[in-house]
Amino acid sequence: MKSLLNKDIRLWASPLAWIFLIAAGMTMLPGYPILVGSFFVCFGIFQSFQSGRENNDTLYSVLLPIRKVDVVRSKYRFTVMIQMIGFIVMSALTLLRMTCMADSVVYQSNAMMNATPYFLGFALLIFTAFNVFFLGGFFKTAYKIGIPFLIYGIATFIIIVVGEVLHHIPGLSYLHTQGGEKIGTQLCFLAICAVVYLFGTLLSCRTSMRRFEQIDL
């Protein structure tokens, strides 16, 4: 499995998967829906699936002396690796905004979502949507990527809209506070989203392995 993941990193992965990690830096943008950064991190991963399809990577991989399900596991592990790199960057920048830059005027007057644990939780939900809707949809055929990515895009749009609306509801304004008001509640929300990400990804991976086993390539 380690060798297969190494193959995916060196041969299958598009350079855009690494380049689009820069989008995690959108966490620092004021007056902008910063959750879009999570979408672009996943968009870079999507580019790897697109280029891999054009290069017949899936067929090449199953011809190797490995189990068929290992191909699925490797793609999921690569996806999670990229997502976690992006998440770590976003977490570090969120900590920076909540401490050293908490009193910055551009963030205090920001009407859009601020970088808080609440934001990080929604970022994980977007990653979960990619793993469930795109990866799960891709491995139904191991070829079609358009419809699964469209469904993921719609789900991401809904998640972003909900995230941007909630902190405007009376009584939930603390979700927007850079200073960490009710930080315990926000951290609980982040923990719940982390559990959703973990189990959503594992369930999607198992479903994809079962589907991939039934595909005649």
Side-chain angles (χ1 to χ4, degrees):
M1 177 57 68
K2 184 178 180 181
S3 297
L4 187 57
L5 178 60
N6 188 51
K7 186 274 292 182
D8 283 344
I9 292 173
R10 292 176 178 271
L11 301 178
W12 172 77
S14 167
L16 292 175
W18 307 101
I19 293 173
F20 271 89
L21 282 171
I22 297 174
M26 289 183 175
T27 304
M28 299 299 292
L29 296 180
Y32 187 84
I34 56 178
L35 281 173
V36 173
S38 303
F39 170 82
F40 281 118
V41 169
C42 292
F43 183 69
I45 303 170
F46 165 79
Q47 293 297 321
S48 295
F49 279 88
Q50 185 176 48
S51 63
R53 183 189 66 172
E54 303 307 319
N55 294 323
N56 290 319
D57 174 81
T58 303
L59 179 59
Y60 167 76
S61 296
V62 298
L63 292 176
L64 296 173
I66 58 174
R67 294 182 302 170
K68 201 173 178 181
V69 294
D70 287 340
V71 176
V72 178
R73 286 197 184 99
S74 182
K75 296 297 187 288
Y76 270 83
R77 289 185 179 184
F78 176 83
T79 296
V80 170
M81 179 185 69
I82 295 294
Q83 289 173 343
M84 288 301 98
I85 292 174
F87 183 76
I88 290 171
V89 173
M90 287 187 285
S91 298
L93 295 178
T94 295
L95 183 61
L96 178 64
R97 279 186 58 166
M98 292 184 68
T99 53
C100 301
M101 307 182 71
D103 297 325
S104 177
V105 176
V106 293
Y107 295 136
Q108 289 288 342
S109 59
N110 181 28
M112 306 298 287
M113 178 186 288
N114 274 322
T116 63
Y118 167 73
F119 152 70
L120 294 175
F122 270 89
L124 287 177
L125 293 182
I126 291 176
F127 290 158
T128 305
F130 182 83
N131 298 346
V132 171
F133 295 117
F134 177 73
L135 292 186
F138 172 78
F139 282 108
K140 286 182 179 179
T141 63
Y143 182 78
K144 295 181 180 180
I145 59 175
I147 295 300
F149 190 76
L150 176 62
I151 296 173
Y152 159 67
I154 294 172
T156 297
F157 176 78
I158 294 173
I159 292 171
I160 292 175
V161 169
V162 172
E164 290 290 351
V165 168
L166 279 180
H167 64 84
H168 291 289
I169 297 176
L172 296 179
S173 59
Y174 66 88
L175 298 172
H176 185 64
T177 305
Q178 284 280 159
E181 183 180 349
K182 294 188 178 180
I183 191 67
T185 302
Q186 294 197 47
L187 289 175
C188 285
F189 174 76
L190 174 58
I192 292 172
C193 291
V195 171
V196 170
Y197 174 80
L198 176 62
F199 284 97
T201 300
L202 288 175
L203 180 60
S204 176
C205 184
R206 289 188 177 184
T207 301
S208 293
M209 287 191 294
R210 185 173 66 252
R211 289 171 174 170
F212 192 62
E213 282 277 25
Q214 298 171 355
I215 296 174
D216 183 5
L217 297 173

